Amino acid sequence: MKQIKLILSVLAVFIGMTAAEAKKPLKVLAIGNSFSQDAVEQNLWEVADADGTTMIIGNLYIGGCSLERHWKNAQSGEAAYAYRKIDKKGVKTNHPGTSLAAALADEKWDIVSFQQRSPDSGDFSTYEPYLEDLIKFVKKHNGRKTRLMFHQTWAYENGATHSAFPKYGNSCWKMFDSIVVASSRACEKYGLGMIPAGTAIQSARMSEIRENVTRDGYHLNIIGRYIAALTWYEALTGRSVENNSYTAAHIEPWVREIALAAAHNANLTPGKPKKCGPEKYVTLNDEAGVPEYTLPDALTMADGSKVSTAEQWFGARRPELLKMFTETMFGKSPAPSKDMKFEVVDVNNGALKGIATRKQVNIILDKSGKHCLHVLIYLPNNVQGPVPVFMGINFNGNIAVSKDSGIIPPSKAELKKYGIAANIETGVKSNRWPLEQILAAGYGVVTFYRGDTDPDFFDGWRNGIVSLGFKKDQTWPEPDEWGTISQWAWSLSRVMDYAETDPDIDAKKVAVIGHSRLGKTALWAGAQDERFAIVISNCSGAGGAAISRRMFGEVLQDLNRHFPHWFCENFHAYSGREAELPFDQHELLALVAPRPLYVASADGDKWADPKGEFTSAKEASKVYEFLGKKGLAIDEWPAVNTPSIEGDVAYHMRQGKHDITPYDWENYIRFADKYFK
Ligand code: GCU
């Protein structure tokens, strides 16, 4: 065997071929424009070669060429193309004045690809009837053996000046989503294989490569071209590029790592981009690196006038701040539907070995019945009458809250809806919900799963309750309309609507609580809905309690890149422009005043900027004091595990990591006792 191999390779060397070339080459022709030029003309041959595949690549190039024009050219036979070819040795030639038919006849192409010009790439109506006509044309010329594919191109970058960008609301995500819809439709309708370059480029944008994928906002740069080529190769051959050994010139190792992962993931789940690869930029977690900043004064109106009375605060400044946070950050929410219904589906007074009464209530949010919050409630059996409760959304599903086998699990359809966000196992998060401890203190717990509101992954606003805010024919929130955090906060208010009808719950004594993204949510819910008597933010970090201008740990760019659906579109404009925000997060906290507020951090949670959370609570205290309440009782950022709960604003920094633990709960209970007992 060894001998045969040796003879073969000697033979190959003898006739001047590498081992890869000895195989039959894969012949691919792109019917495209400058976007296919970006994808196939630079690195594709090399990526293939590194994997032992020899390719012959053709690109039928006319700048900005649309499907319509390709079809016209096909019909007229016009020799309108620069036909760029890369032969099996990787040698490039250009043949101007080539017709489509001539290029099709030039080789026995294994694969031919189509694409739409970028301005129309997200508009399927422009594909018709030309794509179908072209497909027929190619089939007629090349026979049935040629595999036909569709090149999913990429979106323009936010801020790009392309004249077609307004068609997509000047929004990279909106354009990307339209491209996903149109390209998937093309593939499904005509049985084309997908080349998901647009998805891979979007993943790079979500990762540390950020916007560094184009040279002018729409044409790819060396990084973008490398990613596109890798994506093409895997799509054409089905061979994973995860370990492909080729690296384009000037590509650093960390970029390469993201590029390989982005290309591979795009092929696994076309249309679903995701952050991948390493974090290149070390998160700032050194106090010395915090820029100088000036915080907007919560007690000064936008026009510069000072707030001097409580009436002015409640009548003018508070509404002004609320409007700014609504329209610039979280997005407007609709009024609840008059068709909202509450259905009690379970009551069991012997739950958790008899210490609790468990109730499960479905809140059906609209007439269609499609949107439903499954609320899980535990009430202490050792207390008479309506009880105070902690109300908060859970991360992993109701069944993750406790090992209680009476918790209704999600249906199959719901699991499907939750999609990639579903990670639900019985009791896995019971450490975050120490029910026995809370119940023993005389409090109830009211919770529901975040996925009921929104499965928390971006899919172009098709999942979740977002559509409850849409007008007829609207498919995308306006730049000032609700993102997912607003939708979660709104859902908490709907649960509050229910609580007001439940005689076993004291709706005047509801503490809204949340951890991390759901802590941001608790703050926004508490800021807007004054029925929440206490507001508790646990490790809410950036976009929650932490001061944005400190730029410590997670910054706005991270939030908006990794979670493009959380905040409204207007907020994306502030990525990297923290100093220009018309507010900062201490003013979000101030909106809770005069109601008691608890902000907590963990010392190991640098990403959430514990000191920024403390600073914010301290600053917000000025409004509490102005309103005759007691602000945070300490002036200095405290040592770990030394809670300050004397004031109406409380703070602690737990020792440990990003989490919510029984220690945190112990202090929240002590704080709530001050007001509710
Ligand atoms: C990420 C995100 C944070 C968020 C956290 C969470 O770390 O960057 O902003 O708070 O997820 O919700 O767990």
Side-chain angles (χ1 to χ4, degrees):
M1 187 63 192
K2 260 194 185 156
Q3 262 174 342
I4 297 178
K5 264 197 187 161
L6 194 69
I7 294 171
L8 275 180
S9 49
V10 169
L11 212 67
V13 171
F14 181 66
I15 51 176
M17 287 191 293
T18 65
E21 284 169 315
K23 286 193 220 148
K24 209 170 145 257
L26 176 68
K27 301 177 179 179
V28 179
L29 177 68
I31 302 178
N33 52 36
S34 59
F35 277 42
S36 55
Q37 175 192 9
D38 279 343
V40 307
E41 290 190 23
Q42 281 73 27
N43 306 293
L44 181 56
W45 192 92
E46 288 78 3
V47 169
D49 189 49
D51 193 45
T53 305
T54 303
M55 280 188 77
I56 294 177
I57 302 167
N59 184 31
L60 271 171
Y61 172 88
I62 297 176
C65 196
S66 64
L67 286 167
E68 179 177 5
R69 184 148 172 220
H70 284 305
W71 170 236
K72 285 196 176 136
N73 291 340
Q75 277 174 307
S76 67
E78 197 185 331
Y81 293 92
Y83 168 46
R84 282 97 173 261
K85 197 171 171 188
I86 305 176
D87 73 10
K88 62 180 178 193
K89 292 216 164 104
V91 177
K92 295 180 183 178
T93 46
N94 186 8
H95 311 270
T98 302
S99 71
L100 213 155
L104 285 173
D106 185 43
E107 293 280 353
K108 274 199 160 166
W109 299 108
D110 297 299
I111 299 172
V112 172
S113 75
F114 308 96
Q115 67 187 64
Q116 180 55 302
R117 68 175 192 140
S118 69
D120 297 327
S121 53
D123 179 358
F124 187 71
S125 71
T126 67
Y127 291 29
E128 309 257 54
Y130 316 109
L131 178 58
E132 186 170 7
D133 293 334
L134 278 165
I135 289 172
K136 283 188 188 144
F137 185 84
V138 172
K139 279 190 177 158
K140 202 169 119 209
H141 277 74
N142 287 44
R144 306 222 156 256
K145 279 209 175 137
T146 304
R147 196 148 63 90
L148 303 181
M149 300 192 79
F150 193 81
H151 178 200
Q152 177 197 68
T153 52
W154 44 91
Y156 307 155
E157 149 184 336
N158 277 335
T161 51
H162 198 292
S163 61
F165 208 17
K167 188 165 162 181
Y168 303 101
N170 289 311
S171 154
C172 175
W173 275 101
K174 197 165 182 174
M175 181 168 183
F176 171 70
D177 181 59
S178 313
I179 294 171
V180 169
V181 173
S183 58
S184 322
R185 197 138 165 228
C187 289
E188 271 158 36
K189 186 158 178 188
Y190 300 111
L192 309 177
M194 170 73 88
I195 307 169
T199 305
I201 293 294
Q202 204 67 6
S203 295
R205 286 181 169 138
M206 293 175 83
S207 309
E208 286 304 321
I209 290 177
R210 306 189 182 206
E211 298 294 2
N212 196 9
V213 280
T214 71
R215 47 191 201 276
D216 52 11
Y218 32 99
H219 289 113
L220 300 181
N221 64 12
I222 49 168
I223 298 177
R225 285 175 160 185
Y226 176 50
I227 296 170
L230 288 163
T231 314
W232 267 71
Y233 181 69
E234 183 157 334
L236 299 173
T237 59
R239 293 175 61 81
S240 169
V241 289
E242 275 173 305
N243 297 312
N244 191 283
S245 62
Y246 168 74
T247 310
H250 310 296
I251 298 289
E252 292 179 44
W254 67 273
V255 173
R256 172 184 151 78
E257 200 177 316
I258 295 172
L260 297 175
H264 179 59
N265 290 343
N267 276 288
L268 292 181
T269 51
K272 291 209 172 97
K274 69 171 186 199
K275 172 180 181 280
C276 42
E279 300 279 347
K280 153 90 162 59
Y281 301 103
V282 180
T283 310
L284 169 64
N285 54 17
D286 172 2
E287 219 30 57
V290 171
E292 287 216 2
Y293 64 88
T294 315
L295 287 181
D297 177 19
L299 292 168
T300 301
M301 298 283 300
D303 68 5
S305 58
K306 295 268 176 239
V307 178
S308 50
T309 65
E311 289 67 42
Q312 257 181 305
W313 168 259
F314 289 112
R317 179 58 174 159
R318 187 176 188 283
E320 178 179 79
L321 276 173
L322 204 48
K323 188 165 188 290
M324 284 199 283
F325 276 105
T326 303
E327 292 173 5
T328 309
M329 186 168 183
F330 296 102
K332 293 182 199 154
S333 312
S337 159
K338 55 179 181 355
D339 296 305
M340 179 168 67
K341 274 193 310 216
F342 308 133
E343 277 174 8
V344 180
V345 288
D346 165 53
V347 180
N348 182 319
N349 57 18
L352 305 178
K353 301 200 177 106
I355 63 164
T357 296
R358 184 190 62 236
K359 285 192 192 184
Q360 297 184 78
V361 181
N362 289 342
I363 302 186
I364 298 151
L365 293 169
D366 67 331
K367 202 169 179 179
S368 77
K370 229 176 78 189
H371 300 289
C372 175
L373 307 175
H374 301 286
V375 186
L376 172 66
I377 304 172
Y378 288 100
L379 302 169
N381 283 343
N382 62 351
V383 186
Q384 286 295 308
V387 292
V389 298
F390 288 97
M391 182 188 289
I393 308 178
N394 64 70
F395 258 89
N396 298 64
N398 287 352
I399 63 166
V401 168
S402 160
K403 286 217 154 65
D404 177 2
S405 60
I407 302 174
I408 301 170
S411 67
K412 273 213 177 103
E414 277 161 351
L415 277 177
K416 195 163 165 225
K417 171 179 109 177
Y418 301 148
I420 54 168
N423 169 22
I424 307 174
E425 266 176 67
T426 305
V428 279
K429 291 292 170 187
S430 53
N431 59 323
R432 287 189 171 175
W433 298 93
L435 295 175
E436 282 77 8
Q437 178 187 352
I438 302 168
L439 290 158
Y443 291 90
V445 170
V446 180
T447 184
F448 65 94
Y449 175 44
R450 68 183 156 134
D452 282 349
T453 298
D454 185 277
D456 201 7
F457 60 90
F458 190 67
D459 74 335
W461 297 119
R462 269 174 288 279
N463 61 29
I465 66 164
V466 63
S467 58
L468 295 180
F470 287 165
K471 291 172 222 53
K472 193 166 173 280
D473 296 330
Q474 188 180 350
T475 54
W476 197 277
E478 293 295 324
D480 63 351
E481 288 181 344
W482 61 354
T484 298
I485 293 187
S486 250
Q487 294 158 26
W488 282 327
W490 182 90
S491 302
L492 281 165
S493 289
R494 303 296 69 80
V495 179
M496 184 58 155
D497 294 341
Y498 163 76
E500 290 187 313
T501 70
D502 187 327
D504 297 328
I505 295 175
D506 186 345
K508 296 262 179 289
K509 294 184 180 170
V510 176
V512 64
I513 182 168
H515 166 61
S516 208
R517 71 196 66 184
L518 301 173
K520 309 183 209 298
T521 303
L523 288 170
W524 182 227
Q528 299 175 90
D529 190 336
E530 293 171 89
R531 294 175 297 173
F532 293 114
I534 295 180
V535 178
I536 303 169
S537 148
N538 189 89
C539 297
S540 64
I547 295 288
S548 303
R549 280 171 174 76
R550 278 174 48 82
M551 315 251 330
F552 187 106
E554 186 171 31
V555 295
L556 300 192
Q557 184 158 178
D558 299 312
L559 279 175
N560 288 329
R561 242 169 356 106
H562 301 159
F563 309 100
H565 54 298
W566 280 1
F567 300 96
C568 74
E569 187 115 15
N570 282 339
F571 195 55
H572 289 229
Y574 289 94
S575 289
R577 291 174 45 210
E578 278 79 350
E580 293 167 51
L581 275 169
F583 48 70
D584 214 313
Q585 296 310 102
H586 61 299
E587 291 171 302
L588 177 67
L589 304 188
L591 286 171
V592 176
R595 291 164 292 148
L597 167 73
Y598 202 132
V599 173
S601 317
D603 72 333
D605 187 16
K606 298 270 194 296
W607 186 236
D609 186 13
K611 187 167 184 194
E613 296 180 310
F614 167 78
T615 308
S616 193
K618 190 66 199 164
E619 280 292 323
S621 296
K622 291 182 183 158
V623 175
Y624 278 79
E625 282 154 15
F626 175 77
L627 296 172
K629 294 282 168 182
K630 268 181 80 183
L632 191 55
I634 44 171
D635 293 329
E636 298 298 324
W637 186 30
V640 291
N641 298 353
T642 53
S644 166
I645 67 162
E646 296 74 37
D648 296 308
V649 178
Y651 178 84
H652 76 243
M653 177 164 60
R654 174 180 43 76
Q655 188 166 31
K657 62 182 178 48
H658 182 71
D659 202 355
I660 178 167
T661 69
Y663 175 85
D664 297 310
W665 280 98
E666 181 190 317
N667 289 294
Y668 302 148
I669 291 168
R670 286 205 297 139
F671 187 60
D673 281 349
K674 287 194 349 176
Y675 304 93
F676 290 168
K677 290 288 164 70

